[in-house]
Amino acid sequence: MINTSMLTVVPGTPLYRAMQKGLYTQSSEMEKLEEIYEFIHCLDNDTIFMNEHGSNLFHVKCEIPREKENLLAYIKKFMQNSDEKKLSEYRKMIVRAF
């Protein structure tokens, strides 16, 4: 079973301070989606893939490899129909939850 979550940098944390100092650059939301897409694309073992954490831009639970192609198509379509600015707004909303 694989359960992923997308990084959310929270104010007051060491990573947040490193980001403020220019020592860390956060990936864009599209880059995060591309990373998950590539990760799934490379999976070839029997597993359950979950992406259900609140920090994720989409939520799924599926079987790999049986549902792999459908999942990849879903992510590709999600990326094509998404706007970085709107996705960034979601990330900002998540940060406020902390």
Side-chain angles (χ1 to χ4, degrees), residues 54-96:
S55 67
N56 294 322
L57 298 169
F58 64 92
H59 303 108
V60 297
K61 180 178 180 181
C62 63
E63 294 178 29
I64 303 292
R66 187 172 68 82
E67 298 172 284
K68 179 178 174 175
E69 294 307 316
N70 289 340
L71 178 56
L72 290 172
Y74 173 82
I75 296 169
K76 185 175 273 193
K77 185 175 181 180
F78 184 87
M79 290 169 54
Q80 291 170 342
N81 294 326
S82 295
D83 172 79
E84 181 69 33
K85 185 177 177 183
K86 289 181 182 179
L87 297 176
S88 295
E89 290 300 318
Y90 178 78
R91 185 72 48 214
K92 290 175 188 172
M93 181 188 71
I94 292 297
V95 168
R96 288 192 292 267

Side-chain angles (χ1 to χ4, degrees), residues 1-5 48-52 56 60-62:
M1 183 178 295
I2 299 170
N3 192 357
T4 63
S5 61
I48 302 292
F49 176 83
M50 297 187 309
N51 195 53
E52 300 179 312
N56 294 322
V60 297
K61 180 178 180 181
C62 63

Side-chain angles (χ1 to χ4, degrees), residues 2 38-47 64-66 68:
I2 299 170
E38 186 60 28
F39 177 75
I40 294 165
H41 178 52
C42 292
L43 284 177
D44 59 4
N45 57 314
D46 290 334
T47 191
I64 303 292
R66 187 172 68 82
K68 179 178 174 175

